[in-house]
Amino acid sequence: MQFLRDDAVMSDWNLLPPIVENTVSSFSLPQDIRESYFKLLGFNMLQRRWMKEFITELERVEVPALIMKGHGLWGSVYHQDYPRVSADIDFLVEPENIGKVKKILGNWAPLHGKTLLHYRYDLEYPYNFRIELHWDLAAYRSFSLDFCNIWSDSFPHPMFESDCVRTMCLEDIFIHTLIHSFNHRNLQTYMKVDLLRLLNHPRINIELILEKARLTGCMRLMELTVASLRKTLGSEMVLPDLKVKSPGYLSQKVYDFVFKPRKRGSVFDLQRLFQFSLLDNRVNKLRNMRGAYQSYLVRLGKKITNPLGWSSDHH
C-alpha cells in the first residue's frame, strides 16, 4: 500500500470513490482511474478490518474514542459504499484515557513519534497505515475549544455498532475542519469538498455552526474560508443559508498569503508570523504568536547545531 503513502497520490485520489458515486457508469472511466478506485476501496476495507479489532480492545477497557477527519464522515456525509478515503486514522481520546489507548495501540506498532497534538503509530504489514492518537486539536491553544461539549454532542459512529467509537456532530466536524486547515495552513481540495457537503447536509444546523464558531474563536477564519470557497469553487449558489459577512480586501490578502504553498525547511517562516491575524480574540492571538516565536527558535537552534541537515545516523 505504498501507493497510498504518497501524499501527492492521496491528494489526487482520496475523493475518487464519491466521484465514482456520481458517475453514470464506472466502465466509462479510464482504466487507470478504475484501477486506482479499486485500490482505494481495498485499502478502505483493510482500515475497516483493523477498526473492528481496535474497537474490541476499546470495549474491553471501556474507553471511548472519537474518530475524526475523513473516517468521521463515513456513513453520514459520505455514503458508506463510496467513502471519503484517508491515508491515516485519527482519534481523539480524553487525557485520562491516553495511557490505556497507547497500550492498546502498542499491540500493533511501537510509538513512532509525538507532536504538539498527538502520538503517531505506523502500522506495518498487512495494514501499512498511520494512526494518530490526539489529546488536543489546536496547536498552541489557538482556539477556545470546549472538549466537554464536543464529547457531549458526539454520537456513536454510524458504521460501527459500538458506543466506544464515536464521531463529532456535523457542526463540530465543520469547525474542526477549519481548525485543521489552520493548523496546516492548507485548505486542500478534499477539505473544501468536505465543507461544502457539510453545509448542504439536510441535518446541518447553520445557527449552531455560527454559535460554535463564535465560542471557539474562529468566526474570522470561517468568513475567510467561505470567501475562499466561493472564489475557487464558484459556490455562491450552494451556500444560501450561511450568514457570514464578506471579509475585507486586506484580510483576504493576508489569508491568501498565510495559506499559499510554502517552501519546507526554511528557518524564517514569514507566513507563520502572520497567522495570528486570522484569529478572533486577543488571548488566542497571543498564544499563537508565542507558539510561532518558540517554533522559530527551535528551527533556528536546529540550523545552528546541524547546518548541513544531516540525519542522526550520518557517518
Side-chain angles (χ1 to χ4, degrees):
M1 291 297 174
Q2 184 59 37
F3 166 85
L4 293 159
R5 284 255 49 91
D6 185 327
D7 289 340
V9 171
M10 282 307 299
S11 178
D12 288 340
W13 297 108
N14 59 359
L15 282 171
L16 186 52
I19 290 173
V20 173
E21 178 186 9
N22 291 282
T23 302
V24 175
S25 171
S26 61
F27 292 103
S28 64
L29 296 169
Q31 180 66 26
D32 61 332
I33 293 182
R34 288 206 304 273
E35 291 175 357
S36 298
Y37 169 62
F38 288 123
K39 285 182 181 179
L40 288 170
L41 288 187
F43 182 65
N44 182 258
M45 292 174 66
L46 198 64
Q47 289 180 322
R48 295 189 196 196
R49 191 179 90 181
W50 179 84
M51 281 285 294
K52 291 180 179 179
E53 297 177 20
F54 179 63
I55 291 169
T56 299
E57 293 299 309
L58 289 178
E59 291 174 335
R60 181 178 59 81
V61 296
E62 299 181 338
V63 168
L66 250 175
I67 189 167
M68 303 186 299
K69 302 179 186 176
H71 297 88
L73 304 173
W74 286 355
S76 56
V77 178
Y78 292 89
H79 194 280
Q80 62 182 17
D81 293 335
Y82 299 96
R84 211 276 268 150
V85 181
S86 297
D88 309 332
I89 302 180
D90 294 71
F91 294 100
L92 175 68
V93 174
E94 293 167 302
E96 62 268 24
N97 291 323
I98 284 286
K100 293 179 181 179
V101 181
K102 284 178 65 179
K103 187 175 180 179
I104 290 173
L105 291 174
N107 295 330
W108 285 280
L111 179 64
H112 188 276
K114 180 182 179 182
T115 72
L116 293 170
L117 304 176
H118 62 74
Y119 292 109
R120 171 181 158 185
Y121 294 82
D122 289 342
L123 275 58
E124 298 180 352
Y125 182 84
Y127 295 115
N128 297 334
F129 54 82
R130 182 177 302 162
I131 304 296
E132 293 184 356
L133 176 60
H134 288 252
W135 60 86
D136 202 351
L137 301 177
Y140 310 114
R141 294 187 299 152
S142 298
F143 298 92
S144 305
L145 290 163
D146 188 335
F147 287 99
C148 289
N149 277 343
I150 289 174
W151 279 99
S152 64
D153 290 345
S154 69
F155 55 91
H157 196 291
M159 292 290 294
F160 304 99
E161 297 177 355
S162 174
D163 285 336
C164 284
V165 176
R166 307 181 67 80
T167 186
M168 296 178 185
C169 68
L170 297 177
E171 295 77 16
D172 279 333
I173 293 175
F174 183 89
I175 297 298
H176 177 235
T177 303
L178 296 178
I179 293 173
H180 182 58
S181 74
F182 181 88
N183 287 340
H184 292 277
R185 287 178 287 159
N186 189 0
L187 188 66
Q188 296 188 46
T189 300
Y190 69 84
M191 299 168 75
K192 294 177 182 179
V193 175
D194 290 347
L195 291 171
L196 288 169
R197 291 184 72 130
L198 281 162
L199 288 174
N200 285 281
H201 196 282
R203 295 201 306 272
I204 199 75
N205 185 330
I206 298 298
E207 293 298 330
L208 187 55
I209 286 180
L210 297 173
E211 179 184 351
K212 286 178 177 288
R214 282 190 287 266
L215 292 174
T216 305
C218 66
M219 197 70 185
R220 181 175 300 174
L221 178 63
M222 183 174 70
E223 292 167 357
L224 289 161
T225 302
V226 170
S228 178
L229 287 176
R230 287 174 170 157
K231 181 173 67 174
T232 59
L233 301 178
S235 55
E236 290 92 340
M237 298 304 293
V238 296
L239 300 176
D241 298 320
L242 197 59
K243 304 166 186 175
V244 297
K245 64 181 181 181
S246 298
Y249 174 82
L250 182 59
S251 295
Q252 191 66 58
K253 284 297 182 181
V254 172
Y255 175 89
D256 293 341
F257 173 71
V258 170
F259 275 71
K260 76 175 183 179
R262 60 195 182 277
K263 181 181 179 181
R264 294 187 178 274
S266 174
V267 173
F268 185 70
D269 188 350
L270 185 60
Q271 292 166 262
R272 176 72 179 84
L273 296 179
F274 276 89
Q275 193 176 13
F276 78 94
S277 65
L278 305 181
L279 300 171
D280 291 358
N281 64 64
R282 185 179 302 173
V283 173
N284 290 345
K285 287 181 178 180
L286 288 173
R287 288 172 178 165
N288 186 267
M289 290 171 66
R290 183 177 60 187
Y293 178 69
Q294 291 172 342
S295 177
Y296 169 72
L297 290 180
V298 169
R299 291 197 305 272
L300 181 62
K302 289 181 178 178
K303 189 69 174 178
I304 292 172
T305 58
N306 187 13
L308 298 180
W310 286 347
S311 63
S312 59
D313 59 353
H314 182 87
H315 297 288

